[in-house]
Amino acid sequence: MALIPSQVLRVAILLSYFSILCHYKALDMPAHQTYGGSWKFLTFIDLVIQAVFFAVCVLIDVSSLLTKGGDSREQERQLRKLIGLRDWMMAVLAFPIGAFVVFTFWSLYLYDRELVYPRLLDNFIPQWLNHGMHTTVLPFIIIEMRTTHHRYPSRSWGLAAVCCFGVGYILWACWVHQVTGVWVYPVLERLTAVLRILFFSSLLVVICIFYILGEILNNYIWDPPQTGKVKGE
């Protein structure tokens, strides 16, 4: 038996995301006042994705509790729709985008933090909030994957969906640059046009890799290899 019920963990994680989002939006940062506001940052978009995902998870827990023992087919049908939405969000958004944000942020940060998180931001963002945005996302989503079985879509459809998200964000970042003349992240300022295309392409590849890794991890946890039958059975 788990020390903490999974339903309680999901509520705690959801509340933590609400707290992180509220503190982040309350920051008096110049970047929040420019075109696109917080929505031009992939980190903020990912936080919203994670919060919505865990809100759906909590809604499913509450709905399952309320409909337990009932015989309403309509309620069961609506619950199955919510479960389908939850599984799709886990496969296409929550895991690959969350893992991507953590991996790319800390990789660039360790190489040269000025490329992604200039020291100037330390005057606005406390360390605990930085880790809430760029670190705890991955363990939270792994906890959810470990406690609940999620059905992944076919790999081709899943990869197509996650690529659409990636291309959509790249186009959004380019549009913000077109309007403001400033790239969302400093690393893009240092690249030539050709290198920028290669950089964006490599990021799409990384997101696809994280999608596949999420699928493999989910299958490893919930579909262990079948052991051979005992001789004589």
Side-chain angles (χ1 to χ4, degrees), residues 100 195-207 209:
F100 174 83
L195 289 178
R196 204 172 290 128
I197 293 173
L198 292 175
F199 181 74
F200 285 143
S201 300
S202 65
L203 294 184
L204 285 177
V205 172
V206 173
I207 291 178
I209 290 175

Side-chain angles (χ1 to χ4, degrees), residues 1-45:
M1 180 180 294
L3 294 177
I4 304 177
S6 59
Q7 296 87 344
V8 176
L9 283 173
R10 283 189 278 270
V11 171
I13 292 172
L14 176 61
L15 291 177
S16 72
Y17 277 124
F18 282 160
S19 175
I20 291 169
L21 284 168
C22 288
H23 279 87
Y24 180 76
K25 291 296 291 182
L27 295 175
D28 185 18
M29 292 176 57
H32 290 180
Q33 312 304 321
T34 58
Y35 183 80
S38 303
W39 291 98
K40 57 180 173 284
F41 299 110
L42 184 59
T43 294
F44 178 77
I45 295 174

